[in-house]
Amino acid sequence: MPETLIKVDLTQSAYDNDMVHNRWHPDIPMVAMVKPGADFIIETYDWTGGFIKNNDSADDVRDIDLSIVHFLSGPIGVEGAEPGDLLVVDLLDIGAKAESQWGFNGFFSKNNGGGFLTEHFPQAQKSIWDFEGMFTKSRHIPGVRFPGLIHPGLIGCLPDPKLLSTWNEREIAFVNTDPNRVPALGTVPFGPTAHMGRLTGEAKDKAAAEGARTVPPREHGGNCDIKDLSRGSKIYFPVYVPGAGLSMGDLHFSQGDGEITFCGAIEMAGWVHLKVDLIKGGMAKYGIKNPIFKPSPITPKYDDYLIFEGISVDEWGKQHYLDVHVAYRQACLNAIEYLKKFGYSGAQAYSILGTAPVQGHISGVVDIPNACATLWIPTKIFDFDINPGADGPTKFIDGSVQMPLSPDL
Amino acid sequence: MPETLIKVDLTQSAYDNDMVHNRWHPDIPMVAMVKPGADFIIETYDWTGGFIKNNDSADDVRDIDLSIVHFLSGPIGVEGAEPGDLLVVDLLDIGAKAESQWGFNGFFSKNNGGGFLTEHFPQAQKSIWDFEGMFTKSRHIPGVRFPGLIHPGLIGCLPDPKLLSTWNEREIAFVNTDPNRVPALGTVPFGPTAHMGRLTGEAKDKAAAEGARTVPPREHGGNCDIKDLSRGSKIYFPVYVPGAGLSMGDLHFSQGDGEITFCGAIEMAGWVHLKVDLIKGGMAKYGIKNPIFKPSPITPKYDDYLIFEGISVDEWGKQHYLDVHVAYRQACLNAIEYLKKFGYSGAQAYSILGTAPVQGHISGVVDIPNACATLWIPTKIFDFDINPGADGPTKFIDGSVQMPLSPDL
Amino acid sequence: MPETLIKVDLTQSAYDNDMVHNRWHPDIPMVAMVKPGADFIIETYDWTGGFIKNNDSADDVRDIDLSIVHFLSGPIGVEGAEPGDLLVVDLLDIGAKAESQWGFNGFFSKNNGGGFLTEHFPQAQKSIWDFEGMFTKSRHIPGVRFPGLIHPGLIGCLPDPKLLSTWNEREIAFVNTDPNRVPALGTVPFGPTAHMGRLTGEAKDKAAAEGARTVPPREHGGNCDIKDLSRGSKIYFPVYVPGAGLSMGDLHFSQGDGEITFCGAIEMAGWVHLKVDLIKGGMAKYGIKNPIFKPSPITPKYDDYLIFEGISVDEWGKQHYLDVHVAYRQACLNAIEYLKKFGYSGAQAYSILGTAPVQGHISGVVDIPNACATLWIPTKIFDFDINPGADGPTKFIDGSVQMPLSPDL
Amino acid sequence: MPETLIKVDLTQSAYDNDMVHNRWHPDIPMVAMVKPGADFIIETYDWTGGFIKNNDSADDVRDIDLSIVHFLSGPIGVEGAEPGDLLVVDLLDIGAKAESQWGFNGFFSKNNGGGFLTEHFPQAQKSIWDFEGMFTKSRHIPGVRFPGLIHPGLIGCLPDPKLLSTWNEREIAFVNTDPNRVPALGTVPFGPTAHMGRLTGEAKDKAAAEGARTVPPREHGGNCDIKDLSRGSKIYFPVYVPGAGLSMGDLHFSQGDGEITFCGAIEMAGWVHLKVDLIKGGMAKYGIKNPIFKPSPITPKYDDYLIFEGISVDEWGKQHYLDVHVAYRQACLNAIEYLKKFGYSGAQAYSILGTAPVQGHISGVVDIPNACATLWIPTKIFDFDINPGADGPTKFIDGSVQMPLSPDL
C-alpha cells in the first residue's frame, strides 16, 4: 500500500491536527514533501471537521459557525515544482473512512448561510446518507438509491502573495458593496477561527488575519464543487509557490451539478489516493489560467434522463438578462414541483437534486433576454418510474418519512 | 413515406410561403390538422430564410436585418388538444434538405446583434460547414470534423392571449430600462417585417403589431437552442390554445451548449419527421410550467473530454455574484486561449465552441461569491491530439486558412 | 448531394440491373471508378432482390430459392488501389429507400436453409417491421420498439483468383464431408442462378461456374453480419485486385449479435453514402488478414441490460468442448423462455433476439470443458419492465397477435 | 462497516482455513448464516491460494498443481432460501486486500493446462500487475495502463445431489472419450487435493471423492469468468439446497472477454462486499436455468475501439462449421499480429488481450459454414496511438522489457 502522508482522527478536533488548515495563505508550511511521480494517500475530515452528526436532528446544521470551514489536509510539497508549472494530479481512488460509512446533506438557515433556494427553504434541514459499498441511500428520503460519484469538493495549490492579495482586494471590496446582506455577499478573512496548519505565534496571527477563506472557487481551483473531478480523473493545477503546496478536503460521496443544497453534497470524511507529476512551464505553454481536467473513465453513467428546462424569468415573474443562475433555479424549481407529484416533500426533492448525480447544462446564453438552462435527472436512481404517462403520476411516496427540520431560534 | 405537411422551396422567399411565420401569436391560423398518434414531415427554411449564403464573405452576416428571424414552419393543429394538455412530440428523424447539404455559423457585429463574446470578437465573421452524411467539416476551420447532433433550435406551441401579453409586458418593460443599449436588451414586437402565416388584412396588421418576437426561449419552449432536443428525443410541450399549434424551425446540424456564437449553431434548411400525441390535463397532473423532455437514445457520444473551468470573476478582474453566465464566459475564453496554442485563430476556436457538441455544465452555484462553470470539449473531434503533455503543444494548424471577416461599414 | 453511382429500381428484377451481382469473382467488371477521397452513394436491393413481400404470409420465406442471394451493388473501382493495400471505407450514412420504409425478418424452414434454432423453430415464419424515422416496430410483435443500428450485412472487395480458389477448395471439400446434410454444411458454386454483373457470354458462364457464393464471411470480409459496421463506422479492407472492387448489399435496419434468425436481421432495400481512401501497402504494414474497423460515434446506446448466460452443454444435456456456438444457443434459449413468461410466443421472442440490438459476448473460453457465452438484452426496447422482481412476471402481451407461419408443403 | 464473515490470512495455507473449499458438493457445511437483506464482507484467496508469487520468474506458473484450484470462500447460508428460489446478490463493492496490491497473469505450459492459444504459446509465462488505486499496469508489459473492471471469476450456490450427479456423469463420460489428451478434455473428481471446508472424517472423504471440480462454469454459474459480473452488478442465482450456500473466489482486477490466457485474468486476493435477497420460487416464475444478471452502473467505459474480425477457418486453413471458438481465436491471433507491429512480443500482446477489458462479440453464427467473431480493443488503454494511418505503425515499444518465461523441465 502507498504511504498515508496525512492521517486524521475523527475523534480529535481538526484544530489539533497540524497537517490541516482552513485558510489559503502562501506561508502555510508544507507538511510533507514528495517527488514527481509519487503516489500516496491523504486522509481528510469532512468539511465541517465533524460538527454535523449522524442523527435525526438538524440543530447542528442550524447552529454551525461557518467561519470554521473548510478543513483541508495539506499542503503537500512537490520537489522541483516552481511557479508557472502545471501540477498534474491523478485521483487514483477516493473513499469514505472505514469507521465512517455515512454522509450528510442539508440546507442552512437563511440566516446562517442560506443556499440556492433559500427563499423557498429558509430553515435548517438535514438528511443522512448511508453507504452500501459503492451505493448510497438515505433513511430520510425513501425511494432513491444510487452509486457514488466520489470526488473532492475542494482541491488546489497555495496562492502566492500577489494572487492572495488580488483575492482579498476583489472580495472585500465586493462584500463592502452591501456589507449587511443576509446571506452575505462573500466571506472575508477572519482570524479567530483560522487554522493555519503548522504556523505558530506571530507568523500565524499575521497569516490568519489575511488568509483567504476557502469558500469560493478561484483561479487556483479550490472549492470548485465539480462533481466530475471524481476518482479516476486527472487534473492540471497552476503552481504559484515553490513546491506547489497541494491541499484538499470537502470530500463528497455524490453531488448534483451546482451543489445547490450548499450544506452541501453528501459530505463525508475519507481518504484520497493520488499521484502527482509536473509539466514544467505548463501555464505559459498551454495558456492556463484556471485548472483544466480530464474526466474519469470509471463513473456512474446513465442513458435515460428526464430533463427540465428553466429560463431567466424568475419565480416572481421578473425578467433577467441572460442570467443562467436564474434559469437554472427555475429548472430546479420545476423539477421539485414535478417530484412532489410522486409524493416527495419539497425538501426531499430539493435534497435529491443536491445529492444525486444530476446534470446542470447551460443550454442557451445568447437569445436575449432569456438564458436557458436544463436540469437532467437520471431516471434509474428511483425505485419507481418517474416518466410521464397518460394516466398521470402515482404517489409512490406516502409522506410517512420526512427530513429533520430545526426552526431558527 | 409519411406525408410532408409543409414544404419549403429554398428558391422562394419565406414571406411567400403562407405555411411559415416569424412571430408568436394566438391568431395565426393552423395550416394543417393531424390526429394524435400521427407522424408526418415538416420542411423548414434556415432561421434567416436563406439570407446567409454558401460563400466566402461575411457581408451577409454583417448586413442581415435581424427583425426578420426566425422563419418557422407551422402551426400544426392537433385534434382534441386543449389548454392544459401536454403535447408529446417524438422527433423521429431530422435532416438537411437534399439540395442543401451545408450550414453556416458566424458572429454578428457588435452593432448588429453581437453575441456572447462580442467584446472580444466585435466584427462579423462566418464559416461554412459541409455535410458528409452524418458528419460535417468546414473549409474555414481545418483539423476538426464531427458527427451531427441534429436538432431544431426552435420548437413550441402557440401562446394564448394571456401568455402573449405576459411576454410583451415583461420584455418591453425590460428593454425600456436601457432602450439605447448596443446590443439591445431584448426584442420587441415589430410589425413591418412580421410574417403572420395565413393571416391577412387587418387581422394580420393587428397581430403583427403585437406578435412576440421569436428570439428568446419562453415558458412554451420556443427558441431554447438546446442541442439535446435532438432527433430521437421526446418532448412534452404545454398546450395553451385549442389545437396546440405546433411550429418549428431554426434547424441545427450541430451546436455547442450555449450556442455562444449566436449566428448561431451550424444553421441549415431541412426537414423534421415527427409524431404527436397528447397527455390530457398533463400540465396540472405533472406540475409542468416549461417543457420537459427525454434525450435521444441515438446521439454522438464521447468519453474523452478536456474540461475548462471558469469562475464568476470577469476578464477584467471584476467580481460578480454567483453569476454562471460570467463563469461560463471565462471557461470559454480559457478554452479559446488553449486552442490558439495549437495554431487556431481566436475566431476559429470560438467557432469550434459554438458548433461542436461541447458541453457547458453548471458546476457550482453556492460558493459565494463565485459561481463555477465548466466547458467540456470532446477530444476526438480533432484530427490531432489536444491533450496536454510535458513537451507542450504542437502547432498542427499553420494559420494558412482563416475565417472570412467583414468589418463594419 | 454526392453522386449516386448505382441506382436500383425496386420494381425491376435485380437480374436486369447490370451494376448488381450475386457471386464473388475477380472477373466481374467494375461498374464505376472513383478517386481516393471521393464520397458517393450506392443503392442496393434487399438481399433477396425483393422476393420477400410486405404482407402477412410466410409463404415467400418458405418458398425462396436461396441460391439467388445476395444481390450486391458493385463492384466499385478505386483508382490506384493495388493488391496489398488497405481500402479505407467511411460509412457516412445509410438509409432505407424512401419508397420502401419497411423490412422483414423470418426463420427459414429447416428444409430450406434452417437457422440457429432450427430444431426448435423448424417452420417458415415472418415478421414485418415498419420504420418510423430512426425507429422501428412490428405489427407482428407487440410491445417492442427501438432505433435502428443501420448497417450493411455484406461488404467487401473482390478476391483475386488465388483467394477464390482457396475458398472453393476449402468449402467444396467441407461440404463433401456430408453432402446430403439438411441444412447443408455450406454453399458451393452454382451457375444457373448466378448474376455476374456486366460479364456476358462465355466469360460469364465460366465465372458463374466458379464464382464463390456470398453466404459466408471470409478473409475479405463479405457477409460478416456485424451489426457494429454501422453508419458512421470506418473499415479497413484488404485489397486483392487492381482497383479493389468494392461491393455491398444485404442492408439491415437492425440486428442482434449472431443474426440468429438467419432470414435474417431486419432486411431492407436502401442506400449507402460512403467515402473511400487508401493505405498503400497497408496489409503488410499492419499485418492484416481480415478487415479491421472502428465503430461509429453515433449509435443507439443502452446502459441497462438483462443478461442471460449459456454454457456448452446443449439443450439435450450433451457435453461439448469449449463450444461457444452451443453456449450462445443456450443463452438464447434461456432468454426465449424468460420472455415467454411475459406473454410472447417463442417465435416472437426468437425474432426479438434476431432483430433488436442485443449483444452476444464470448465470456469464457478456457474453463474446460465449458465455454460460457452471454446474451445482453437492452431493457429499454420494451414498452414494459422486463426486470425480475419478487412478484414474478406480468403477462403484458396477451397473445392476440402472432407471427405468420407457413408449414412446409 | 458491515461485518466480515470470512477472513483469509494470506500468510496461512488455504487448506488451514475451514471457511474455504475447492470443490462443489451439497454436503459442505455452511460457515455462516445471514438473513435476506443483509450485507456483509467475504475475503478470498487468489484462485491458487497464494501459489503464484510477485516475482520475475514463471517457474510457479509452470510447476503449479492445478488440482488444488479454486479456493473459494463459503458457503454462506441464507435463512429461508429453498430449492427453486432465486438468490439475488448485489455486488456492492470488490477490492484487493490492502496488503496485496498486485495481481498476476500468465499462460500455462501446454503440458500443464495449456490455454486458448497454447499451440502458439506452449510454455509457461507470467506478468505481474501493480495496482494504483483504480488503475493497473505491469512492469513486464510497457505502454499499457487501465482501470480495473473488478469482478469475481467464480461465484454460485451449492448443487444438490442430483445436479452434482448430472455434472459428474456428463463430464466423466466426456473426459473418457479421450482420457490421455493433453491438455485434458475436462477435470474430474480428485480426492487427494480436495478441501471440503468444515467437513471432516469419512464424510469428508466421501464428499472429496465425488465433489465436482471448480473449473467449468455450469448451470449454477460457478466459474463463469464473466468480466461484467463486476462490482455494482446484480445477479440472480438458482438455489438448489436449503440455505442456498453461496461461495465465491477467483477475484480478477481485470479480464478480457474469454479469459483467453487461462492463468488467468489479473488474479488477486481480495474482498467482496455483497448483499443477498430472495425471490421465492423465482426459478419457475421466470423460467431460469442459468443465472441471469444486470451489469453495474459504474464500470470503465470506452467509446473508441479498434476491432478485429475472425472467421471459423483455423490458422492452418481448415474449415470449421459455424465454430465461434475458432473464429474468436482467429480474431485474437489477428490482433496479436497487429500489436506486434508496434513492438510488442507476441506474449505481451496475448497478455494484453487476456487482461485488459477487451470485448469478444459473437457477430455472425448462421452464414454457413463460417462463424464470425470480433475482438474489440479499447484504444485508450495504450500510452500511444494504435490506430492505422497512411504512414504505417511506429515501434513505440523497443523490446527491452520482456515477460518471464520458464521452459518445461
Side-chain angles (χ1 to χ4, degrees), chain D residues 35-376:
Chain D
K35 290 183 192 308
D39 71 300
F40 50 89
I41 287 175
I42 302 292
E43 294 182 354
T44 80
Y45 287 92
D46 84 84
W47 74 306
T48 71
F51 191 87
I52 309 296
K53 305 299 183 195
N54 184 351
N55 60 25
D56 300 312
S57 160
D59 290 359
D60 44 17
V61 170
R62 179 192 60 201
D63 299 336
I64 189 171
D65 171 4
L66 282 175
S67 76
I68 65 172
V69 299
H70 303 70
F71 292 104
L72 308 179
S73 294
I76 301 293
V78 180
E79 291 180 15
E82 293 168 298
D85 292 348
L86 288 175
L87 180 67
V88 187
V89 174
D90 281 286
L91 297 176
L92 298 172
D93 200 1
I94 310 176
K97 295 270 288 182
E99 68 273 25
S100 185
Q101 293 286 314
W102 63 277
F104 64 89
N105 174 266
F107 331 140
F108 292 122
S109 158
K110 190 179 171 184
N111 295 315
N112 187 29
F116 191 61
L117 300 180
T118 197
E119 306 299 329
H120 303 272
F121 300 93
Q123 294 184 302
Q125 291 199 257
K126 185 168 86 173
S127 60
I128 298 297
W129 295 77
D130 289 304
F131 307 154
E132 281 191 336
M134 301 199 299
F135 298 84
T136 189
K137 62 182 182 184
S138 171
R139 64 179 178 264
H140 299 121
I141 303 175
V144 64
R145 178 179 183 270
F146 45 85
L149 179 62
I150 307 178
H151 61 276
L154 203 163
I155 182 168
C157 293
L158 293 183
D160 61 14
K162 180 156 172 259
L163 185 59
L164 175 62
S165 141
T166 299
W167 294 350
N168 278 337
E169 286 167 25
R170 182 169 80 198
E171 293 173 17
I172 292 170
F174 184 68
V175 169
N176 285 342
T177 61
D178 188 359
N180 301 317
R181 186 177 187 274
V182 176
L185 279 180
T187 54
V188 296
F190 183 68
T193 51
H195 180 2
M196 305 307 285
R198 292 185 174 168
L199 272 188
T200 56
E202 265 181 51
K204 180 198 163 175
D205 294 344
K206 175 176 175 295
E210 64 192 23
R213 299 283 291 279
T214 55
V215 174
R218 297 191 185 94
E219 287 80 348
H220 70 148
N223 192 29
C224 284
D225 289 323
I226 298 172
K227 72 180 195 312
D228 309 289
L229 285 186
S230 68
R231 55 181 183 163
S233 66
K234 182 192 281 281
I235 321 171
Y236 302 80
F237 288 105
V239 172
Y240 308 98
V241 303
L246 181 72
S247 293
M248 71 206 70
D250 189 23
L251 301 190
H252 298 161
F253 192 81
S254 180
Q255 181 206 292
D257 271 345
E259 202 196 18
I260 62 174
T261 38
F262 193 23
C263 173
I266 297 178
E267 304 288 333
M268 70 180 197
W271 53 268
V272 182
H273 181 186
L274 67 165
K275 183 176 168 178
V276 293
D277 217 326
L278 292 171
I279 296 181
K280 296 301 297 175
M283 288 182 70
K285 277 179 185 165
Y286 287 102
I288 298 298
K289 186 171 142 193
N290 300 69
I292 60 174
F293 69 101
K294 292 179 68 67
S296 173
I298 178 164
T299 61
K301 289 192 183 164
Y302 296 97
D303 270 342
D304 196 54
Y305 286 89
L306 189 61
I307 306 175
F308 294 84
E309 303 178 10
I311 59 171
S312 57
V313 174
D314 69 24
E315 54 267 53
W316 304 280
K318 188 179 164 198
Q319 178 70 57
H320 297 254
Y321 183 72
L322 300 180
D323 190 322
V324 180
H325 180 107
V326 170
Y328 191 49
R329 201 165 71 221
Q330 305 317 302
C332 292
L333 289 168
N334 287 343
I336 289 170
E337 282 312 298
Y338 187 93
L339 291 175
K340 284 163 69 176
K341 301 290 184 185
F342 293 84
Y344 284 114
S345 70
Q348 287 172 326
Y350 183 20
S351 296
I352 290 169
L353 303 188
T355 57
V358 304
Q359 295 185 30
H361 281 246
I362 296 158
S363 292
V365 291
V366 293
D367 299 316
I368 51 171
N370 281 335
C372 179
T374 48
L375 173 78
W376 300 46

Side-chain angles (χ1 to χ4, degrees), chain A residues 163-300:
Chain A
L163 184 60
L164 174 63
S165 139
T166 299
W167 294 350
N168 279 337
E169 284 167 24
R170 182 170 80 199
E171 294 172 18
I172 292 170
F174 183 68
V175 170
N176 285 341
T177 61
D178 187 359
N180 301 317
R181 188 176 184 274
V182 176
L185 279 180
T187 54
V188 296
F190 182 69
T193 53
H195 180 3
M196 306 307 286
R198 292 185 173 169
L199 273 187
T200 54
E202 265 182 50
K204 180 198 163 176
D205 294 344
K206 176 175 174 296
E210 65 193 22
R213 298 285 290 280
T214 56
V215 174
R218 297 190 185 96
E219 286 81 349
H220 70 145
N223 192 30
C224 283
D225 289 321
I226 298 172
K227 74 181 193 312
D228 308 289
L229 285 186
S230 69
R231 53 180 185 162
S233 66
K234 182 192 279 282
I235 321 171
Y236 302 81
F237 287 105
V239 173
Y240 308 99
V241 302
L246 181 72
S247 293
M248 71 206 68
D250 189 22
L251 301 190
H252 298 162
F253 192 81
S254 180
Q255 181 206 292
D257 271 345
E259 202 196 18
I260 63 173
T261 38
F262 193 24
C263 173
I266 297 179
E267 306 288 332
M268 70 181 196
W271 52 268
V272 182
H273 181 187
L274 68 164
K275 182 174 168 178
V276 293
D277 217 327
L278 291 172
I279 296 181
K280 297 300 298 176
M283 288 182 70
K285 278 178 185 166
Y286 286 103
I288 299 298
K289 186 170 140 194
N290 300 69
I292 62 175
F293 69 101
K294 292 180 68 67
S296 173
I298 178 164
T299 61

Side-chain angles (χ1 to χ4, degrees), chain B residues 16 46 52 58 91 97 120 128 141 157 207 226 287 330 349-350 357 393:
Chain B
D16 296 336
D46 85 84
I52 309 296
L91 297 176
K97 296 270 287 181
H120 303 270
I128 298 297
I141 304 176
C157 293
I226 298 173
Q330 304 317 303
Y350 183 22

Side-chain angles (χ1 to χ4, degrees), chain A residues 39-52:
Chain A
D39 71 301
F40 50 89
I41 288 176
I42 302 292
E43 294 182 355
T44 80
Y45 287 92
D46 85 83
W47 74 307
T48 70
F51 191 87
I52 309 295

Side-chain angles (χ1 to χ4, degrees), chain B residues 213-224:
Chain B
R213 299 285 290 278
T214 56
V215 174
R218 298 190 185 94
E219 286 81 350
H220 71 145
N223 192 30
C224 284

Side-chain angles (χ1 to χ4, degrees), chain C residues 226 228-229 233-234 236 290-296, chain D residues 304-309 331 335 359 361 363 373-379 386-387:
Chain C
I226 298 172
D228 310 288
L229 284 185
S233 66
K234 180 192 282 281
Y236 302 81
N290 299 70
I292 60 175
F293 69 100
K294 293 180 69 65
S296 172
Chain D
D304 196 54
Y305 286 89
L306 189 61
I307 306 175
F308 294 84
E309 303 178 10
Q359 295 185 30
H361 281 246
S363 292
T374 48
L375 173 78
W376 300 46
I377 300 183
T379 57
I386 65 158
N387 288 303

